[in-house]
Amino acid sequence: MAADRDGGVMQPAHPETLGAGAQAPAPSASRWSHLGPLAVFLIIAVFLGIGLTLDPREIPSPLIDKPVPQFRLEPVKGRTLGLATEDLKGEVSVVNVFASWCTACRDEHPLWMALARQRALPIHGLNYKDKPDDAVRWLAELGDPYTRTGADLNGRVGIDWGVYGVPETFVIDRQGRIRDKIIGAITRKTVDERLLPMVRRLQAEGAPAAGGMNR
């Protein structure tokens, strides 16, 4: 600051009185420091919002059109036929992942019993993380629609199949490839509009032509 003629102290110039060549002081970086966490929060919120709009039942399985995993399971307690990779070749079949502790499994079970009575196709069960005695009681109470039933006691086979919840249902073609995955309990609509049409198409694909049949 400089003294004026009268010995007083001159006041600093206001920004608006600065010359054209002068520049106002830059804003402090601390003013913008709070925007970093805010931006991160907004990005996370956007992705969470998008995730909530997705239906997990519509998420495609990476195993579609690929061979079923290599596995071998002992039968559920009291049954004689377990389930293994080689059992899923030669005919179109379904693998239903179920558990006695699964409420939705109980809801869909009458439909599996009806399909078993119709003999539409082999239905195999993959009993997931269940106690052996609980699985036995559950099948005794509700009925057993399964041709083969493997006991996945620790869930390791389920991991190989990409199972992250029960029930889940896989449609397997004659070559032992997974052709469809249904997440959640099947309904009458699912059976009529998705499951059976897929099964019939796969059965027709593998059927020998009339002219090629042995006589």
Side-chain angles (χ1 to χ4, degrees):
M1 297 182 187
D4 61 13
R5 295 178 182 176
D6 300 328
V9 178
M10 296 180 63
Q11 297 297 321
H14 292 288
E16 60 268 20
T17 64
L18 295 174
Q23 294 183 353
S28 173
S30 62
R31 295 183 182 180
W32 308 102
S33 61
H34 68 284
L35 294 180
L38 177 60
V40 173
F41 171 78
L42 290 175
I43 292 172
I44 293 174
V46 168
F47 280 101
L48 286 176
I50 293 173
L52 291 174
T53 65
L54 300 177
D55 186 346
R57 291 173 296 182
E58 300 301 326
I59 299 175
S61 169
L63 297 180
I64 296 298
D65 293 329
K66 295 182 179 180
V68 299
Q70 290 293 322
F71 75 102
R72 177 175 295 276
L73 290 174
E74 295 298 316
V76 167
K77 183 178 178 179
R79 270 64 184 170
T80 57
L81 298 178
L83 187 63
T85 304
E86 55 267 26
D87 298 322
L88 301 175
K89 295 180 180 179
E91 58 185 351
V92 180
S93 62
V94 162
V95 174
N96 175 235
V97 184
F98 75 99
S100 65
W101 44 263
C102 165
T103 302
C105 297
R106 180 177 291 268
D107 294 337
E108 71 170 5
H109 201 76
L111 289 169
W112 292 123
M113 292 298 295
L115 286 170
R117 288 192 293 269
Q118 296 170 15
R119 299 182 182 276
L121 77 166
I123 304 168
H124 304 301
L126 195 158
N127 187 226
Y128 183 71
K129 291 185 176 182
D130 216 346
K131 296 179 180 179
D133 289 339
D134 290 346
V136 170
R137 283 192 294 268
W138 197 80
L139 291 171
E141 175 189 351
L142 301 181
D144 187 352
Y146 304 116
T147 303
R148 292 177 171 271
T149 317
D152 187 14
L153 298 176
N154 55 21
R156 291 181 180 175
V157 171
I159 292 174
D160 293 339
W161 280 74
V163 173
Y164 60 87
V166 288
E168 292 186 3
T169 299
F170 297 84
V171 180
I172 315 299
D173 68 13
R174 295 176 190 271
Q175 288 72 44
R177 295 174 300 179
I178 297 173
R179 301 299 296 272
D180 196 9
K181 176 181 179 178
I182 301 172
I183 300 175
I186 62 169
T187 63
R188 185 75 260 173
K189 182 178 180 180
T190 306
V191 171
D192 293 339
E193 298 183 7
R194 181 173 176 178
L195 179 63
L196 287 181
M198 167 69 77
V199 167
R200 289 165 182 154
R201 180 172 65 81
L202 294 176
Q203 289 173 335
E205 286 178 358
M213 295 179 63
N214 294 327
R215 301 186 180 182

